[in-house]
Amino acid sequence: MSLTDPVADFLARIRNAIRARHQKLDVPASKLKTEIARILKEEGYISNYKTQEEEGKAVLRVYLKYGSGSEAAIRDLARISRPGCRVYIGRDEIKRVQGGLGISIMTTPKGVMTGRQARREGVGGEILCEVW
């Protein structure tokens, strides 16, 4: 199945799984989705992720994280740069998300990283999404 925007599909699946209180979700794997999952784990938004082979296809399994009172670590996700309207920002234009309570995920010439890391390294790029 061919998707126009696989990153938006990945974010929508995470959002739907959280609202349905699932512990894990499976998505078709790609390098970009694996990097986004890596950042979400490093920042504490998901508990774990792993790539595995199922029926000849690579699958990314994401384990969601919930706090006390079954409150999800991810409150919401927003796709910023879309295939029809790419959003590129310079190193001086990287803004804080929700007053510093969230993160932005960017693709830069140095790889996929958070907005905070990109600001620290002095690089700009395409802003994929925001998580808070």
Side-chain angles (χ1 to χ4, degrees):
M1 183 171 135
S2 175
L3 293 172
T4 305
D5 190 0
V7 174
D9 177 63
F10 178 51
L11 298 176
R13 286 181 192 222
I14 291 175
R15 188 180 305 114
N16 292 340
I18 287 171
R19 290 188 178 150
R21 298 282 180 227
H22 292 296
Q23 295 300 314
K24 65 181 191 291
L25 70 126
D26 292 341
V27 294
S30 72
K31 290 180 184 177
L32 182 58
K33 291 179 199 174
T34 304
E35 285 297 304
I36 292 171
R38 177 188 59 81
I39 289 172
L40 290 175
K41 182 179 183 207
E42 286 174 0
E43 296 292 322
Y45 288 103
I46 61 173
S47 60
N48 203 1
Y49 71 95
K50 64 181 174 182
T51 306
Q52 56 192 34
E53 195 82 16
E54 283 187 12
E55 300 174 9
K57 305 260 184 190
V59 174
L60 178 65
R61 179 163 285 167
V62 178
Y63 296 91
L64 301 172
K65 186 174 184 179
Y66 294 95
S68 61
S70 73
E71 184 176 332
I74 297 174
R75 177 157 293 162
D76 204 3
L77 308 108
R79 178 78 159 119
I80 305 299
S81 183
R82 295 177 166 83
C85 183
R86 299 287 185 189
V87 178
Y88 298 95
I89 55 176
R91 64 181 184 200
D92 300 327
E93 301 168 346
I94 301 171
K95 297 183 179 105
R96 293 171 36 177
V97 178
Q98 296 287 315
L101 298 176
I103 62 166
S104 57
I105 300 176
M106 306 176 58
T107 57
T108 68
K110 294 186 177 181
V112 181
M113 60 181 70
T114 65
R116 190 177 318 114
Q117 290 170 323
R119 196 178 314 113
R120 192 177 313 122
E121 293 191 22
V123 293
E126 180 182 0
I127 182 163
L128 294 176
C129 62
E130 293 178 346
V131 182
W132 65 92

